[in-house]
Each structure stands twice: as C-alpha cells, then as structure tokens.
Amino acid sequence: MTDVARNRRPGPRLEEVARAAGVSRSTVSRVINEEPYVSAKARDAVHQAIGALGYSPNQAARTLAGNRANCIALVVSEQGSRVLSDPFFAGVLRGVHAELAGRRVQLVLMMTQQDDEQDLVGYLAGGHVDGVLMVSLHGQDPLPLKLSEAGVPIVVGGRPLVGDGIRYVDSDNFNGALEAARYLVSTGRRRIASIAGPRDMAVGMDRLNGWRRGMAEAGLATDLVVHADFTPDDGAAAMADLLAREPDLDAVFVAADIMALGALRVLHNKGRRIPDDVAVVGFDDLMIASTALPPLTTVRQDVEQLGRTMTWCLLGQLAGEEGLPPSLLLPTSLVIRSSA
Amino acid sequence: MTDVARNRRPGPRLEEVARAAGVSRSTVSRVINEEPYVSAKARDAVHQAIGALGYSPNQAARTLAGNRANCIALVVSEQGSRVLSDPFFAGVLRGVHAELAGRRVQLVLMMTQQDDEQDLVGYLAGGHVDGVLMVSLHGQDPLPLKLSEAGVPIVVGGRPLVGDGIRYVDSDNFNGALEAARYLVSTGRRRIASIAGPRDMAVGMDRLNGWRRGMAEAGLATDLVVHADFTPDDGAAAMADLLAREPDLDAVFVAADIMALGALRVLHNKGRRIPDDVAVVGFDDLMIASTALPPLTTVRQDVEQLGRTMTWCLLGQLAGEEGLPPSLLLPTSLVIRSSA
DNA sequence: CTGAAAGCGCTTACAG
DNA sequence: CTGAAAGCGCTTACAG
C-alpha cells in the first residue's frame, strides 16, 4: 500500500482517448456505446485513438454511471450439488457463453443453497445484474416466480411448473417422446413400458405424456410405467421392477439416457437380448448414448441451442425488443442406433 | 427512459445506513469491510441498520472506489468447445463455487477462443478481475505464462507444461498411476499394457510415467503403450491396437475412465472376459465408472477438492498471505470394483 | 476510534 | 452533431 500507483488499474482512461482523438469525453462515450448522432469523422478519430492506446473501458465505472450492470446471472438451483456435472447444465452453459460472445455482457454464475434464497432474491433484484437466466431442474422451485415478481427480467431453461407468466425455453419433450413411441410401434412392438422421470419435473411429465399419447394413438396400454430419478441406479431399479411386473414386455421408452444406462445393464443381466427381445429408446443423446452396449437409440435434444436461445430471449427483453415470443420449444430428433 | 426512477438501482444507500446508525459513511464502510478500529457500539449500530434497511452494497461503486474488482475469472481454454461437458471441468467449477461461498467475490466465466487471446490477456490484465483461475486441458497453452508475465495473479488447475514459476494445483497423477500399476502386479498380472493420454498434456504424461515406474519396480516390460485422446472411441481404437500387438496381454491401465469405456467395449466384443482374461483399471472415477459393465476399478481424483484448493490458493495470494505453497498435488485413491 | 472531503472513471441530461 | 458539468455510490488517506 506504500506504492499507490501499484494499486491503480493500469491502462489509459477515457480522458486520454478524448485528448488523442481531439474530442470531448462525451463523444468518446457515445462512440463506445454505439450511439447515433456522432459524425463519421469523430467516430473514426475515436476508434483510432482507442486502438493506438489500447483502451478498454472500466466496467465498474460504466455500471455505476449508467445504472446498468452489464452483467447477467446464470442461476443454477442446486439439488444436492450434482447439477454442475450434469451434461444438461454443461450444454446450456456452453450455449449461453457462445451467445454472449462479442457482447459486453459478463456472465456471473450463482448457485442457490437451501437457506440463502431470500439473500439471493435480494441480490438479484438489487440491480447487481440486468437479468437472470435460470436452470432449475426442479419444476416446483419458487425462485423464478419470486424473481419475476420482484421485477427481474428472467428466462428459465426448462418449463417451470409454477408461475404462469414466466418466460422459458425448453426442448419439445412431449413431441420427442411421442416420436419415440411411434417409432417403437412402427417396428412392431406391442408391450411397451416406460421408465418416466420424477413427477415434480416438467421434463419428466412432458416425456411421459408424449409416450402416453403415442400409445393411445396405437391403441396400446399405458399401464407399464415406473417413475425414477435421473440416475443409472434408479433406472436399473425401475427396469427390474417392470420386468417383474411384465416379463414379456418387448420395448421400453426410458425418459433419460442416464437411466437407460442402468436399464440396459439390468436387461443384459436378466438375459434379454437388445433389441431382439426388448427394444430400448432413451432421451437426451448424451455422449454415453453412442458408446453404450449396444449403442442407444435415443431422442436428441440440443441443449447448447437451448442455452443460446435462452440468452437471446433475455438480451432481447433487456433491449426492449417488441414481439418476443413468450416461451419457446425447440425441436428434438430421433437418433436411431442399435438398441431399437 | 421517461421514468428516471425506474432506471435507478433500488434499495437504500450507504448514506441512509449511516444516518440510521447515527455514524458517518466512513464508519459504515469500515464495518462493511471488517476493518479494525471500529468501536463495538458503532459496529452494532451499523449492523442493526443494515439489517433493518436491507442494505446491500453496490459492487460497482466499491470496485470503482477501491481499485479492486472483487471478482475473479475462471478461464477455460476451449479445445473444440467440448470442455464444458467434461466432468473434470464441472467438478472444478463446483469446488470453486463452494470455496467462494460467503465471500464477496464474484466468479466470472470466460472461455478462450483461438483468435481473441490477445484481447483476453488485455482484459484480464486490465484490472477487471483481481485474479484468474484457469483450467487448461492443453499443457502447452501459452496463456498462463502470458498472464503471469502481465502481473495477473493466477492459479492453474492441472500442471502446465510451460512456465516454470506458475502456481498450479493438480491431482497426484504420477502416484495414482503408480498405485494402479502396483495393484495390477499384486494381483498376479504380468503382461500389462497402458492406454496413455495425449503427449502434450501433463496429465497424460504423469499417468504414463507413474505406470512406467510401477512396471519398472516389478521388472516388467513397458513396451505396450498406445497414446490416445480422452474419448471412448479413441480408447476403443487403442485397445484394438494393443490386442493386435499382444493378444496375450492380461491387464491394461487406461489413463482415463472415458477411454476405458471404449476399451471395455472392444475387449467384450473380442470375447475377452473381464477381469478373468484381462484386468482393466481406469483413472478419474467418473460416475460412469461405477455403472460400466463390469463396474470399473479406477483411480479416484477429487476434482471438486481441486477446484476448492485452486480458489483457496488464489484468494490467499490476493490477500497477501505469506508462505503459500508454490504448487500443490492432491492425493488420489484406488477404488476397487469388478474390472480388476 | 471517527468524520469531512476528494476521487475512482465513466454516462447522461442539458444547452448549444 | 458536440461539450461542460453533474452525478453514480462507494473507499481512503488525512486530520483529528
């Protein structure tokens, strides 16, 4: 602390750019913020000065003066802290980042804990961020609604189960599951089970309903359903359960690849040939789907695109754009491999 | 823009806290920053006022006035944009976040692109962040060295191959691989191969060298080595290669679970029983290790702890703590399942 | 232990 | 299209 200069942020200031370009600070600011009503001559001079000096604006000062945070938060509602290793989250993050590239918007990552939710709402509503992207694996999460009520612009990844007006982007889980069901029917399967996701998650219910619709179209029964968590072990337990109830089932639609992994193991251990005896279709198209034994037929969702679209929606909202869709569903596609 | 009040950050200011507590702004600031030389009476009054008003300080103003960013960057050097879905990255991120909890330090996520590296160095060295955590999967990456030379405090996750003075935290890959090798030897294996990682990554070389040392200890040959990328397909190709060269190999140490997945598939397809004919040991202990067929014996590294430790190192450095270790290796442990 | 005052580096009406 | 000036909300020597 003896050397004050060392504590000072290095680099030129807007002031110096103005001097070098022969204009006022106001004009430099306008150029930087790409405002209209700047002469081409002034603009060029400023750009050149910025380049020559290597100027980069102080974000804190911009935020303080502009009453804009230049920052959005990605909030992950953490269930047992396993979210981050989820490929879904990773894909969304990748998409968010890609969409933000080149914009002067920073991404701050926040995770909710059970106890600090009120703090988090206070923080996010307190102007530290301009808007919020949220990935909530748990549909009942009250946080999106609270933030929305607090006036924070928010876009949720995955349909929330509570809060009607909340903008979200999701994969079209219903139609993805419907397509999977139709495919199984088209290949001659008749006794088709489903390992569904949790009841408190929209993704679980939407995929279940899509499968149900497909069964109904074909006049097939929908009694063979077991709900399970999105883990291999739960998928395995569910598969064992289904086989005990109906040894003659000839297909199973598993609402997530990660559960399908467990289901494949159980089918293999019980001596069922895949797909000869039992056809298996998963959902998500994780990397592990293609390396499973046998390679898994599955419904592909593009989670990176989901992240990009969420970000696009939020930025549009922040820019005051008109006519943005309230919510969006992204198409899925069936990837046929060996398991069905 | 007609309603100016709407554009103003909501909530009370430090000024109001000072008034409510009956002290000056300076004193409130000191309390907030936990500085010494504040009377207990003043401290209590301030805390009470903060609570009553629901005050939360404006980070931008703190940053601007304090010449401190209150923010660290997590930089991910992106190779083909597949990094984010890597469980390694996810675990590190979780650890970083956990270690940051409760501190008034924000985490900004940045990804390097090929073309903007100079911009990134400029940005990170420009005082926008106080320090940098970096996860570079590619050991030759010049970025850590450049940042270090630019005076940016940095801690790297995973040993960098260039830049001697750079502080890093890594798992003890050498000893983990050594333990794996010793275990295979102890179970009577004699013709032991290894699928090694890429040569340009420290993690690849360290695990290879650990295995070599274990072989040397037992007087066994180290000729059966194939280098491969950390993907299931590359692991599969490497396994096929090894079997072609030495049909009688009785064990293989695979330097990453994700490659082991492919190796298991090839061994299975070629009719080798695991572990009866060929024992397989992986590295990492990913979730997929326990659900592989058969469940994979592997060397566990605690990547979340890696993230926590990186963060701890960086924060200590920023706080000017003395006697911090230059770099750290975290212990690994062998997890014995069915494959070996 | 405490307060008055300067200053961090921008943006933004306002007046021209 | 442009500039002078006020102000964003804090921190930090400085003086006491």
Side-chain angles (χ1 to χ4, degrees):
Chain A
M1 300 293 174
T2 46
D3 182 5
V4 172
R6 204 199 312 195
N7 273 359
R8 193 143 172 284
R9 199 172 163 270
R13 303 290 175 271
L14 185 139
E15 175 81 51
E16 283 124 74
V17 175
R19 213 156 31 212
V23 299
S24 71
R25 282 154 52 204
S26 310
T27 297
V28 177
S29 177
R30 289 187 191 105
V31 172
I32 288 171
N33 293 296
E34 296 176 355
E35 282 172 23
Y37 303 125
V38 180
S39 66
K41 188 168 159 246
R43 196 190 321 276
D44 291 347
V46 168
H47 278 142
Q48 183 163 345
I50 288 176
L53 295 171
Y55 172 71
S56 126
N58 182 319
Q59 293 302 327
R62 300 185 75 203
T63 297
L64 183 57
N67 268 318
R68 217 179 313 113
N70 302 306
C71 177
I72 65 176
L74 177 58
V75 176
V76 181
S77 100
E78 181 181 27
Q79 308 282 10
S81 98
R82 66 165 191 240
V83 174
L84 278 183
S85 44
D86 195 306
F88 178 78
F89 171 75
V92 168
L93 184 50
R94 212 168 335 128
V96 169
H97 205 277
E99 192 70 24
L100 245 31
R103 293 194 167 84
R104 287 199 206 79
V105 178
Q106 292 210 315
L107 180 67
V108 170
L109 196 67
M110 319 205 73
M111 276 150 87
T112 69
Q113 325 267 346
Q114 303 82 320
D115 49 339
D116 71 349
E117 188 174 272
Q118 208 44 55
D119 286 359
L120 191 68
V121 172
Y123 180 86
L124 292 172
H128 295 105
V129 302
D130 298 317
V132 170
L133 297 172
M134 180 155 176
V135 177
S136 177
L137 300 192
H138 173 78
Q140 314 277 8
D141 198 321
L143 201 53
L145 191 56
K146 281 188 185 169
L147 287 172
S148 182
E149 284 169 350
V152 182
I154 180 170
V155 175
V156 179
R159 184 166 72 85
L161 288 175
V162 294
D164 266 355
I166 294 172
R167 174 168 286 151
Y168 66 86
V169 181
D170 204 351
S171 290
D172 192 346
N173 291 305
F174 178 90
N175 280 305
L178 174 56
E179 189 179 3
R182 283 178 178 158
Y183 173 72
L184 287 171
V185 170
S186 78
T187 58
R189 309 290 168 164
R190 286 298 171 267
R191 198 64 180 114
I192 305 175
S194 181
I195 300 178
R199 290 172 216 270
D200 67 345
M201 293 170 69
V203 54
M205 295 315 293
D206 292 349
R207 293 177 185 177
L208 175 59
N209 284 327
W211 170 81
R212 278 198 184 124
R213 173 100 184 91
M215 294 299 100
E217 280 179 357
L220 297 176
T222 56
D223 58 320
L224 286 177
V225 174
V226 176
H227 287 273
D229 279 346
F230 288 144
T231 67
D233 286 346
D234 261 53
M239 191 70 244
D241 201 1
L242 287 169
L243 284 176
R245 276 164 57 184
E246 178 60 271
D248 293 333
L249 62 83
D250 59 6
V252 57
F253 167 60
V254 189
D257 289 351
I258 192 79
M259 296 193 295
L261 231 52
L264 288 178
R265 189 177 55 198
V266 166
L267 288 168
H268 179 265
N269 289 344
K270 303 265 184 192
R272 300 296 200 287
R273 290 167 307 161
I274 305 166
D276 312 72
D277 300 327
V278 179
V280 179
V281 177
F283 207 116
D284 290 335
D285 197 25
L286 304 186
M287 189 173 75
I288 49 167
S290 60
T291 62
L293 271 177
L296 192 64
T297 293
T298 189
V299 181
R300 171 162 166 70
Q301 66 166 333
D302 189 341
V303 286
E304 181 166 341
Q305 187 60 44
L306 187 62
R308 297 188 76 116
T309 307
M310 288 170 66
T311 309
W312 174 79
C313 278
L314 183 63
L315 293 178
Q317 195 173 332
L318 294 180
E321 276 173 30
E322 306 282 325
L324 286 173
S327 289
L328 277 171
L329 289 184
L330 305 181
T332 59
S333 59
L334 186 67
V335 179
I336 297 174
R337 297 202 180 88
S338 315
S339 70
Chain B
M1 304 294 169
T2 47
D3 183 5
V4 172
R6 206 197 312 196
N7 274 359
R8 192 140 172 288
R9 199 171 163 270
R13 302 290 176 272
L14 184 140
E15 175 81 51
E16 283 125 72
V17 175
R19 213 155 34 213
V23 299
S24 71
R25 283 156 50 205
S26 309
T27 297
V28 177
S29 177
R30 290 190 189 102
V31 172
I32 289 172
N33 292 295
E34 297 176 354
E35 282 172 23
Y37 303 126
V38 181
S39 67
K41 188 167 160 243
R43 197 192 318 277
D44 290 348
V46 169
H47 279 141
Q48 183 163 346
I50 288 176
L53 295 171
Y55 172 72
S56 123
N58 182 319
Q59 293 303 328
R62 300 186 77 204
T63 298
L64 183 57
N67 268 317
R68 216 179 314 110
N70 301 307
C71 176
I72 64 176
L74 177 58
V75 176
V76 181
S77 101
E78 183 181 28
Q79 307 282 9
S81 98
R82 66 164 189 239
V83 175
L84 279 182
S85 44
D86 195 306
F88 178 78
F89 171 74
V92 169
L93 184 50
R94 213 170 332 127
V96 170
H97 205 277
E99 192 69 24
L100 244 32
R103 294 195 167 82
R104 287 200 206 79
V105 177
Q106 292 210 318
L107 181 67
V108 170
L109 196 68
M110 319 206 74
M111 275 149 89
T112 69
Q113 325 266 348
Q114 304 80 320
D115 50 339
D116 70 352
E117 187 174 273
Q118 208 44 55
D119 286 0
L120 192 66
V121 173
Y123 181 85
L124 293 172
H128 295 104
V129 300
D130 298 317
V132 170
L133 297 172
M134 180 155 177
V135 177
S136 176
L137 300 193
H138 173 78
Q140 313 279 7
D141 199 321
L143 201 52
L145 190 56
K146 282 188 185 170
L147 287 171
S148 183
E149 283 169 350
V152 181
I154 179 170
V155 175
V156 179
R159 184 165 71 85
L161 287 176
V162 294
D164 266 355
I166 295 173
R167 174 169 283 152
Y168 67 86
V169 181
D170 203 350
S171 292
D172 191 346
N173 291 305
F174 179 88
N175 280 305
L178 174 56
E179 189 180 2
R182 284 178 178 159
Y183 174 72
L184 287 171
V185 170
S186 78
T187 58
R189 310 289 168 167
R190 286 299 172 264
R191 199 63 181 115
I192 305 175
S194 180
I195 300 178
R199 289 173 217 272
D200 68 344
M201 293 170 68
V203 54
M205 296 314 294
D206 292 348
R207 293 177 186 178
L208 175 58
N209 284 326
W211 170 81
R212 278 198 183 124
R213 173 100 184 91
M215 294 298 101
E217 280 180 357
L220 297 176
T222 56
D223 58 317
L224 286 176
V225 174
V226 177
H227 287 272
D229 279 346
F230 288 145
T231 67
D233 286 347
D234 262 53
M239 191 69 244
D241 201 0
L242 287 170
L243 284 175
R245 276 165 57 185
E246 178 60 89
D248 293 332
L249 60 84
D250 59 8
V252 57
F253 166 62
V254 189
D257 289 352
I258 192 78
M259 295 194 295
L261 232 54
L264 288 177
R265 189 177 57 200
V266 167
L267 287 168
H268 179 265
N269 289 344
K270 303 266 182 190
R272 300 295 200 286
R273 291 167 308 160
I274 305 167
D276 312 72
D277 299 328
V278 179
V280 179
V281 177
F283 207 117
D284 291 337
D285 197 25
L286 304 185
M287 188 172 76
I288 49 167
S290 60
T291 62
L293 269 177
L296 192 65
T297 293
T298 190
V299 181
R300 172 163 165 70
Q301 66 165 335
D302 189 341
V303 287
E304 182 165 340
Q305 188 59 45
L306 186 62
R308 298 187 76 116
T309 306
M310 289 170 66
T311 309
W312 173 78
C313 278
L314 183 62
L315 293 177
Q317 195 173 333
L318 295 180
E321 277 172 29
E322 306 282 325
L324 287 172
S327 290
L328 278 171
L329 290 183
L330 305 180
T332 60
S333 59
L334 186 66
V335 179
I336 297 174
R337 298 204 179 86
S338 316
S339 71

